[in-house]
Amino acid sequence: MKGFPEDFNWGVATSSYQIEGAAFEDGRGESIWDRFCATPGKVANSEDGLTACDHYHRFEEDIQIMKQLGVTTYRFSMAWPRMFPKGDSVREQRGFDFYDRLINELLANGIKPLPTLYHWDLPQTLQDKGGWANRATVDAFAQYAAAAVEAFGDRVTEWLTLNEPWCVTWLGYMNGVHAPGVKNLDHALAAAHHTALAHAEASRAMRAVRSDLRIGLALNMTTYRIEDESDKDLAELGDLMDAQLNRWWIQAFLTGSYPENLMKIHEARLGNIILPGDLERLKVQTDILGVNYYSDSFIGLPRAEDKPLIEEGLFPFPHRMNGSAPGPYTDMGWPVTPVGLEELLLRIARDWPEIEDIAITENGAAYDYQPDESGEVNDIRRIEYLLSHLEAAGRAIEKGAPLKSYYAWSLMDNFEWAEGYNKRFGLVHVDFKTLKRTIKNSGKAYSEVIAASSRALARN
Ligand code: FCB
């Protein structure tokens, strides 16, 4: 694949709640996703992560599949309620033991582990006290992060703190489509601030345990397309949405500030949330910027039903895409827009030259392909998605973007949050009745890309 240096990290990504199952085994505590799934009407077909891919019991098999694919690194997440079932300081050793086994097995197979500490499965007991809207969650998270580094920092030197704090904030606490299903602007703004603070405080707590770590976080980012650039209102709306999604967390860790346009709109509310001294504490050394990229977002003229939202200081969520998004679309209804990935990577390099290591921590597409009579899964549109995005990433590298790693979302089909099991993102097919795994043709295509790049390495 053109553009990729020889030491490039080729990976796949997953997250704990989406694959592990064993939801109440070995002392694991309840998470907000267990509670959300058990609440009628929240998740498609009332599905849940109780069994998921049963990775908890099958991780050795899954690591062999990764080895077959030839990946050099694996991004997974640790379930906080497995290690601290109630989110306090009482440890569950069996939870630590599971990640110990997982990490050792990865290393024994030559695969570098990249854990994410928080990929959405908050201990329910913390949500009972307000969750991310409650400032105390910041300290609880920093303690948990430090304990994870104490346990695994001898073998794991690269870490991500939070996954997609935008989704945590705006889907979890404002429009309520994700756990904990809260719909409250004060809670959302508190979560926006507390997740940024949590990244900073956890990074410091982790470095206090070991100074040699490389720490980052994974943000969902997009390239916005504005339908009519000459429309002043639309341009302003686009800038607000860009601030809310692309700039809030980056600006926090780089400069200890938040975008001015949002500070102004939410001034009164944020005044009660951001305490004196907080802004300085937001700034923190961040070694890796993880970018989760799926598609561009299209902003069109607000529809009548959007107007009251905008007046309240809220903006239509990007996936509402009330602009006209060109096809083709994936099963999520997201448009396929590889050029936007190239532009996003170049924009990061241009706007934030301090960032020296970008990782695409997620990229992928939902398409429902099942095994044919011969057992083959010929997921041709996923192959096209994967290769076109890799080509875009390669072009961005050639033009100077400091991209060091790529993680395909996802290793295998899994529990896709509010969408349940119907949206299949895997390079590996999972039969959710038998839990049988089958490498799809996209997995084979990815493995060829990786092999070709390591052959280049071997030639030198
Ligand atoms: C991202 C999530 C990830 C997965 C993909 C499709 O927002 O981080 O867990 O569900 O979307």
Side-chain angles (χ1 to χ4, degrees):
M1 182 68 57
K2 259 185 91 204
F4 291 87
E6 287 159 0
D7 56 356
F8 196 78
N9 299 304
W10 296 102
V12 285
T14 63
S15 87
S16 47
Y17 192 75
Q18 294 180 278
I19 64 164
E20 283 180 2
F24 294 107
E25 224 171 294
D26 290 342
R28 176 181 166 289
E30 188 190 13
S31 81
I32 54 174
W33 272 94
D34 298 302
R35 181 70 64 91
F36 194 70
C37 292
T39 312
K42 299 294 184 193
V43 174
N45 308 315
S46 308
E47 287 167 337
D48 57 48
L50 289 180
T51 307
C53 306
D54 195 33
H55 172 77
Y56 192 76
H57 299 113
R58 295 167 197 246
F59 71 91
E60 286 158 328
E61 177 188 350
D62 292 336
I63 290 173
Q64 286 315 306
I65 294 174
M66 288 182 227
K67 207 174 164 188
Q68 229 177 306
L69 293 176
V71 301
T72 55
T73 174
Y74 173 46
R75 173 180 180 230
F76 61 99
S77 78
M78 292 181 176
W80 186 350
R82 259 192 214 294
M83 290 150 81
F84 294 96
K86 296 208 176 312
D88 53 17
S89 56
V90 182
R91 298 162 66 103
E92 171 48 78
Q93 191 53 43
R94 288 170 295 177
F96 280 81
D97 292 346
F98 170 67
Y99 295 110
D100 203 62
R101 291 195 298 277
L102 176 70
I103 289 166
N104 288 343
E105 186 71 14
L106 286 166
L107 292 172
N109 283 282
I111 300 171
K112 185 174 78 179
L114 176 67
T116 304
L117 286 161
Y118 185 74
H119 199 128
W120 304 357
D121 37 5
L122 187 75
Q124 178 62 42
T125 41
L126 292 181
Q127 184 53 41
D128 295 342
K129 297 176 211 144
W132 288 108
N134 177 4
R135 201 181 166 88
T137 298
V138 175
D139 295 331
F141 181 66
Q143 271 182 40
Y144 151 60
V149 168
E150 260 161 38
F152 311 117
D154 57 333
R155 285 152 290 160
V156 179
T157 52
E158 295 197 351
W159 294 78
L160 301 176
T161 56
L162 298 144
N163 179 67
E164 301 190 350
W166 182 92
C167 292
V168 173
T169 298
W170 296 103
L171 304 185
Y173 292 88
M174 189 62 227
N175 79 351
V177 301
H178 278 183
V182 174
K183 299 180 184 179
N184 179 308
L185 182 55
D186 287 299
H187 287 227
L189 289 168
H193 177 51
H194 294 149
T195 50
L197 199 55
H199 167 66
E201 298 295 10
S203 300
R204 279 188 284 271
M206 293 160 81
R207 286 207 182 89
V209 179
R210 289 187 77 97
S211 56
D212 58 347
L213 304 177
R214 302 189 68 246
I215 304 174
L217 79 176
L219 303 177
N220 49 309
M221 298 182 75
T222 191
T223 295
Y224 282 109
R225 308 280 177 202
I226 297 176
E227 205 165 71
D228 179 1
E229 296 273 1
S230 66
D231 184 311
K232 248 189 81 231
D233 291 346
L234 215 49
E236 199 185 318
L237 180 63
D239 192 43
L240 283 165
M241 290 173 73
D242 184 64
Q244 196 206 52
L245 187 115
N246 289 326
R247 306 205 300 264
W248 181 268
W249 287 272
I250 294 185
Q251 206 174 305
F253 71 70
L254 282 182
T255 66
S257 69
Y258 292 126
E260 252 174 52
N261 53 359
L262 290 177
M263 287 294 271
K264 211 165 138 214
I265 285 196
H266 299 301
E267 198 175 4
R269 288 185 153 97
L270 286 173
N272 298 323
I273 294 166
I274 304 175
L275 302 185
D278 274 9
L279 290 177
E280 296 79 67
R281 296 197 69 76
L282 289 175
K283 194 170 164 183
V284 72
Q285 180 189 333
T286 297
D287 308 293
I288 306 163
L289 174 67
V291 175
N292 295 354
Y293 177 86
Y294 289 91
S295 80
D296 291 350
S297 301
F298 294 78
I299 302 179
L301 288 170
R303 298 168 300 192
E305 65 264 36
D306 293 327
K307 291 222 166 97
L309 286 177
I310 293 170
E311 272 153 30
E312 253 188 80
L314 287 170
F315 332 114
F317 292 97
H319 288 154
R320 283 170 67 173
M321 286 187 257
N322 50 340
S324 43
Y329 306 95
T330 68
D331 285 359
M332 296 294 277
W334 299 346
V336 179
T337 53
V339 174
L341 174 60
E342 177 184 351
E343 287 177 29
L344 176 62
L345 294 168
L346 292 173
R347 181 248 173 125
I348 295 169
R350 185 185 66 234
D351 289 0
W352 300 290
E354 311 87 313
I355 295 171
E356 288 169 4
D357 182 342
I358 306 175
I360 296 175
T361 35
E362 288 181 25
N363 174 238
Y367 292 117
D368 187 7
Y369 288 93
Q370 299 292 334
D372 63 20
E373 316 80 67
S374 64
E376 185 171 318
V377 185
N378 191 19
D379 53 341
I380 180 89
R381 285 179 297 163
R382 182 174 292 97
I383 296 177
E384 280 167 18
Y385 182 99
L386 176 75
L387 296 182
S388 61
H389 283 77
L390 285 175
E391 280 159 14
R395 289 195 300 273
I397 297 174
E398 286 179 331
K399 292 179 189 165
L403 180 71
K404 313 284 184 204
S405 323
Y406 177 90
Y407 294 84
W409 184 270
S410 177
L411 167 65
M412 55 188 160
D413 297 337
N414 58 46
F415 175 72
E416 178 47 36
W417 309 115
E419 303 284 342
Y421 291 95
N422 271 337
K423 301 291 188 283
R424 293 176 174 268
F425 277 91
L427 298 180
V428 174
H429 178 272
V430 177
D431 178 327
F432 289 107
K433 287 207 181 75
T434 61
L435 297 172
K436 181 172 183 251
R437 280 88 159 126
T438 307
I439 298 180
K440 301 179 190 177
N441 285 358
S442 59
K444 295 178 190 161
Y446 189 40
S447 125
E448 279 165 25
V449 169
I450 301 172
S453 111
S454 45
R455 269 200 299 279
L457 187 59
R459 272 201 302 274
N460 288 296

Coordinates of all heavy atoms in Angstrom, one line a residue, residues 48-78:
D48 N -28.4 -7.5 24.1 CA -27.5 -7.0 25.2 C -26.1 -7.7 25.0 O -25.9 -8.5 24.2 CB -28.1 -7.4 26.6 CG -28.4 -8.8 26.7 OD1 -27.5 -9.6 26.4 OD2 -29.5 -9.2 27.2
G49 N -25.2 -7.3 25.9 CA -23.9 -7.8 25.8 C -23.6 -9.0 26.8 O -22.4 -9.2 27.1
L50 N -24.6 -9.6 27.3 CA -24.4 -10.7 28.3 C -23.5 -11.8 27.8 O -22.6 -12.3 28.5 CB -25.7 -11.3 28.7 CG -26.7 -10.5 29.5 CD1 -28.0 -11.2 29.9 CD2 -26.0 -10.0 30.8
T51 N -23.6 -12.2 26.5 CA -22.7 -13.2 26.0 C -21.8 -12.6 24.9 O -20.6 -12.9 24.8 CB -23.5 -14.3 25.3 OG1 -24.4 -14.8 26.3 CG2 -22.6 -15.5 24.9
A52 N -22.4 -11.7 24.1 CA -21.6 -11.0 23.0 C -20.8 -12.1 22.2 O -21.4 -13.1 21.8 CB -20.8 -9.9 23.5
C53 N -19.5 -11.9 22.0 CA -18.8 -12.9 21.2 C -18.1 -13.9 22.2 O -17.3 -14.7 21.7 CB -17.7 -12.1 20.4 SG -18.3 -10.8 19.4
D54 N -18.4 -13.8 23.4 CA -17.9 -14.7 24.5 C -16.3 -14.6 24.4 O -15.6 -15.6 24.7 CB -18.4 -16.1 24.2 CG -18.1 -17.0 25.5 OD1 -18.1 -16.5 26.6 OD2 -17.8 -18.2 25.3
H55 N -15.8 -13.5 24.1 CA -14.3 -13.3 24.0 C -13.7 -13.6 25.3 O -12.5 -14.1 25.4 CB -14.0 -11.9 23.6 CG -12.6 -11.5 23.6 ND1 -11.7 -11.9 22.6 CD2 -11.9 -10.7 24.5 CE1 -10.5 -11.4 22.9 NE2 -10.6 -10.7 24.0
Y56 N -14.4 -13.4 26.4 CA -13.8 -13.7 27.8 C -13.3 -15.1 27.9 O -12.3 -15.3 28.5 CB -14.9 -13.4 28.8 CG -14.4 -13.4 30.2 CD1 -13.7 -12.2 30.7 CD2 -14.6 -14.4 31.1 CE1 -13.2 -12.2 32.0 CE2 -14.1 -14.4 32.4 CZ -13.4 -13.3 32.9 OH -13.0 -13.2 34.2
H57 N -14.0 -16.0 27.2 CA -13.6 -17.4 27.3 C -12.8 -17.9 26.0 O -12.3 -18.9 26.0 CB -14.8 -18.3 27.5 CG -15.5 -18.1 28.7 ND1 -16.8 -17.6 28.8 CD2 -15.1 -18.2 30.0 CE1 -17.2 -17.4 30.0 NE2 -16.2 -17.8 30.8
R58 N -12.9 -17.0 25.0 CA -12.3 -17.5 23.7 C -11.2 -16.6 23.3 O -10.8 -16.5 22.1 CB -13.4 -17.4 22.6 CG -14.5 -18.5 22.9 CD -15.7 -18.2 22.0 NE -16.8 -19.0 22.5 CZ -17.4 -20.0 21.9 NH1 -17.0 -20.4 20.7 NH2 -18.4 -20.6 22.5
F59 N -10.6 -15.8 24.2 CA -9.6 -14.8 23.8 C -8.4 -15.5 23.1 O -7.7 -14.9 22.2 CB -9.2 -13.9 24.9 CG -8.3 -14.6 26.0 CD1 -7.0 -14.5 25.9 CD2 -8.9 -15.2 27.1 CE1 -6.2 -15.1 26.9 CE2 -8.2 -15.9 28.0 CZ -6.8 -15.8 28.0
E60 N -8.1 -16.7 23.5 CA -6.9 -17.4 22.9 C -7.1 -17.7 21.4 O -6.3 -17.4 20.6 CB -6.5 -18.7 23.7 CG -5.9 -18.4 25.0 CD -6.0 -19.5 26.0 OE1 -7.0 -20.2 25.9 OE2 -5.1 -19.6 26.8
E61 N -8.4 -18.2 21.2 CA -8.7 -18.4 19.7 C -8.7 -17.1 19.0 O -8.2 -17.0 17.8 CB -10.2 -19.0 19.7 CG -10.7 -19.2 18.3 CD -12.2 -19.6 18.3 OE1 -12.7 -20.0 19.4 OE2 -12.7 -19.7 17.2
D62 N -9.2 -16.0 19.6 CA -9.3 -14.7 18.9 C -7.9 -14.2 18.6 O -7.6 -13.6 17.6 CB -10.1 -13.7 19.7 CG -11.6 -14.1 19.7 OD1 -12.0 -14.9 18.8 OD2 -12.3 -13.8 20.6
I63 N -6.9 -14.4 19.5 CA -5.6 -14.0 19.3 C -4.9 -14.8 18.2 O -4.2 -14.3 17.4 CB -4.7 -14.0 20.6 CG1 -5.3 -13.0 21.6 CG2 -3.2 -13.9 20.4 CD1 -4.7 -13.0 23.0
Q64 N -5.3 -16.1 18.1 CA -4.8 -16.9 16.9 C -5.3 -16.3 15.6 O -4.6 -16.3 14.6 CB -5.1 -18.4 17.1 CG -4.3 -19.1 18.2 CD -2.8 -18.7 18.1 OE1 -2.2 -18.9 17.0 NE2 -2.2 -18.3 19.2
I65 N -6.5 -15.8 15.6 CA -7.1 -15.3 14.4 C -6.3 -14.0 14.0 O -6.0 -13.8 12.9 CB -8.6 -15.0 14.6 CG1 -9.4 -16.3 14.7 CG2 -9.1 -14.1 13.4 CD1 -10.9 -16.1 15.0
M66 N -6.0 -13.2 15.1 CA -5.2 -11.9 14.8 C -3.9 -12.3 14.2 O -3.4 -11.6 13.3 CB -5.0 -11.2 16.1 CG -6.2 -10.5 16.6 SD -5.8 -9.6 18.1 CE -7.1 -10.1 19.2
K67 N -3.3 -13.4 14.7 CA -2.0 -13.8 14.3 C -2.1 -14.2 12.8 O -1.2 -13.9 12.0 CB -1.5 -15.0 15.1 CG 0.0 -15.0 15.2 CD 0.5 -16.1 16.1 CE 1.9 -16.3 15.8 NZ 2.4 -17.5 16.5
Q68 N -3.2 -14.9 12.5 CA -3.4 -15.3 11.1 C -3.5 -14.1 10.2 O -3.1 -14.1 9.1 CB -4.7 -16.2 11.1 CG -4.6 -17.5 10.3 CD -5.9 -18.2 10.4 OE1 -6.4 -18.4 11.5 NE2 -6.5 -18.5 9.3
L69 N -4.2 -13.1 10.7 CA -4.4 -11.9 9.9 C -3.0 -11.2 9.7 O -2.8 -10.4 8.8 CB -5.4 -10.9 10.5 CG -6.8 -11.4 10.6 CD1 -7.7 -10.3 11.4 CD2 -7.4 -11.6 9.2
G70 N -2.1 -11.4 10.7 CA -0.8 -10.8 10.6 C -0.7 -9.4 11.3 O 0.2 -8.6 11.0
V71 N -1.7 -9.0 12.1 CA -1.7 -7.7 12.7 C -0.5 -7.6 13.7 O -0.1 -8.6 14.3 CB -3.0 -7.3 13.4 CG1 -4.2 -7.3 12.4 CG2 -3.3 -8.2 14.6
T72 N 0.0 -6.4 13.8 CA 1.1 -6.3 14.7 C 0.7 -5.6 16.1 O 1.5 -5.6 17.0 CB 2.2 -5.4 14.1 OG1 1.6 -4.1 13.7 CG2 2.8 -6.0 12.9
T73 N -0.5 -5.1 16.1 CA -1.0 -4.5 17.3 C -2.5 -4.6 17.5 O -3.2 -4.8 16.5 CB -0.6 -3.0 17.3 OG1 -1.1 -2.3 18.5 CG2 -1.0 -2.3 16.1
Y74 N -3.0 -4.6 18.7 CA -4.4 -4.9 19.0 C -4.9 -3.8 20.0 O -4.4 -3.7 21.1 CB -4.5 -6.3 19.6 CG -5.9 -6.6 20.1 CD1 -7.1 -6.3 19.3 CD2 -6.1 -7.3 21.3 CE1 -8.3 -6.7 19.8 CE2 -7.4 -7.6 21.8 CZ -8.5 -7.3 21.0 OH -9.7 -7.6 21.5
R75 N -5.9 -3.1 19.6 CA -6.6 -2.1 20.5 C -7.8 -2.8 21.1 O -8.7 -3.2 20.3 CB -6.9 -0.9 19.7 CG -7.8 0.1 20.5 CD -8.2 1.4 19.8 NE -8.9 2.1 20.8 CZ -10.1 2.7 20.6 NH1 -10.7 2.6 19.4 NH2 -10.8 3.3 21.5
F76 N -7.8 -2.9 22.4 CA -9.0 -3.4 23.1 C -9.3 -2.5 24.3 O -8.5 -1.6 24.5 CB -8.7 -4.9 23.6 CG -7.5 -4.9 24.6 CD1 -7.8 -4.9 26.0 CD2 -6.2 -4.9 24.2 CE1 -6.7 -5.0 26.9 CE2 -5.1 -4.9 25.1 CZ -5.4 -4.9 26.5
S77 N -10.4 -2.7 25.0 CA -10.6 -1.9 26.2 C -10.7 -2.8 27.4 O -11.1 -3.9 27.3 CB -11.8 -1.0 26.0 OG -13.0 -1.7 26.2
M78 N -10.4 -2.2 28.5 CA -10.6 -2.8 29.8 C -11.9 -2.4 30.4 O -12.3 -1.3 30.3 CB -9.4 -2.4 30.8 CG -8.1 -3.0 30.3 SD -6.7 -2.5 31.4 CE -5.4 -3.4 30.6

